[in-house]
Amino acid sequence: MKRALVSLLCFLFLVCGCSLDAQPSSEMEFRILTYNVQNLMDDKLDGDEYPEYRPSESWNTASYRMRLRTLNEVVTNRSIGLCDVCIFQEIENERVLSDLLDNHLGRKGYLWYAFAKEEGSSIGVGMVSRRKPKHVAVHAVEGSRPVLEAVFDTPRGEVVIFGLHAKSQIGEYEETEAMRLELSRVLGQAAKRHEGKLIILCGDFNTDPDAYRSASTVQPALIGIESQKARTYMGSGSLGITGERAHVYSDVWYSPYLDRSNSFAKPGSYFYGGAWHHYDQFLGNEFLFDGLGWEYGSCQILAPPVCLKTDGTPNGWNLQTLSGVSDHLPVLLTLLRR
């Protein structure tokens, strides 16, 4: 009970009184962006920030505002367009979202935001949206970051979105995967409360959707349903995933990355250790393909020029040189009206 109260105290949901010059959200598309923005801190000394982001000659109001401008440049890039909902990872606090809307995104119709992080943590999960949420909640995860939930009521039915940021791969794999597994367990339980609705899980899962193929000795957070251990693992917390649209069910999630009929502009959304990874993911339930309401349209790894280095990998943020954007690329899910 105490952990839930702590999470709720760390959660903020506010309405931003920004002026508008944007068109209303489309009724033919519902677009969701997930983006790990890499340590976007504000310019205030709060005590929770990473030590290198305490106000200094290099990190100050000017450099903070520069990062906000850069994020706005990415989110409003023509290759992305206007989204209904943006889920951000590695945001310091709600003030960052408020400043982003007040000074930039509010002019594009992003009026609402929400934020959640564990008490004492340096970073959390944030959401900005052009549609007003019907309901917002936070789900505590033992030993990991909380999950942000938002429900949107649309003319084509409710859309339930869970925004997350799983434990990183830093440390012993068995220990970090156990934390990612606990996150999957919380997501599965929370999703059951929205039976009969379209549900989207999105964010930085910090694991590839096919990682289970090489993790035979550890129960994975995500398990392909073709695996012999799938049902056993799904019964104890793993999320069952597939790229086969006909096999998506109430407890089997669709992964666009596993769907061979999909093609992507980049071989991954994150580049680390000399290899591309698909850590930034969308998972959807069976209502993506029921022929009613919102249906799956596309999933895209986006690569605006500002987000790339000359070698085509993500242009990560560098605090020392005050250059770059993020070590992740944004990923966009588009739902279409049927």
Side-chain angles (χ1 to χ4, degrees), residues 16-37:
C16 174
C18 306
S19 61
L20 290 176
D21 62 6
Q23 297 177 0
S25 297
S26 169
E27 296 304 329
M28 302 305 296
E29 292 184 342
F30 193 102
R31 310 173 84 240
I32 309 167
L33 185 80
T34 182
Y35 190 23
N36 183 323
V37 299

Side-chain angles (χ1 to χ4, degrees), residues 167-295:
K167 171 64 179 176
S168 76
Q169 296 274 347
I170 299 174
E172 292 295 327
Y173 178 76
E174 291 79 3
E175 296 179 4
T176 62
E177 187 68 358
M179 296 180 186
R180 290 186 288 273
L181 176 61
E182 179 60 23
L183 172 61
S184 289
R185 184 178 293 112
V186 169
L187 286 167
Q189 293 172 349
K192 290 180 181 177
R193 302 170 188 167
H194 295 284
E195 184 177 357
K197 300 175 184 177
L198 172 59
I199 303 174
I200 303 295
L201 315 179
C202 67
D204 183 354
F205 283 73
N206 261 310
T207 189
D208 290 306
D210 59 354
Y212 65 91
R213 294 171 182 165
S214 58
S216 57
T217 62
V218 178
Q219 180 177 348
L222 305 177
I223 182 72
I225 60 170
E226 78 283 358
S227 170
Q228 292 183 346
K229 296 182 178 180
R231 280 296 163 185
T232 299
Y233 285 157
M234 289 166 64
S236 54
S238 300
L239 294 176
I241 60 176
T242 182
E244 300 289 336
R245 303 182 184 193
H247 295 164
V248 182
Y249 196 58
S250 58
D251 62 347
V252 176
W253 299 85
Y254 173 70
S255 170
Y257 291 142
L258 297 180
D259 189 339
R260 295 181 180 178
S261 68
N262 292 332
S263 60
F264 297 93
K266 302 295 289 185
S269 63
Y270 179 61
F271 189 82
Y272 181 77
W276 283 97
H277 297 277
H278 294 90
Y279 287 177
D280 306 281
Q281 300 187 49
F282 285 98
L283 300 178
N285 66 356
E286 76 271 30
F287 292 100
L288 283 175
F289 306 107
D290 65 348
L292 303 170
W294 298 110
E295 297 287 288

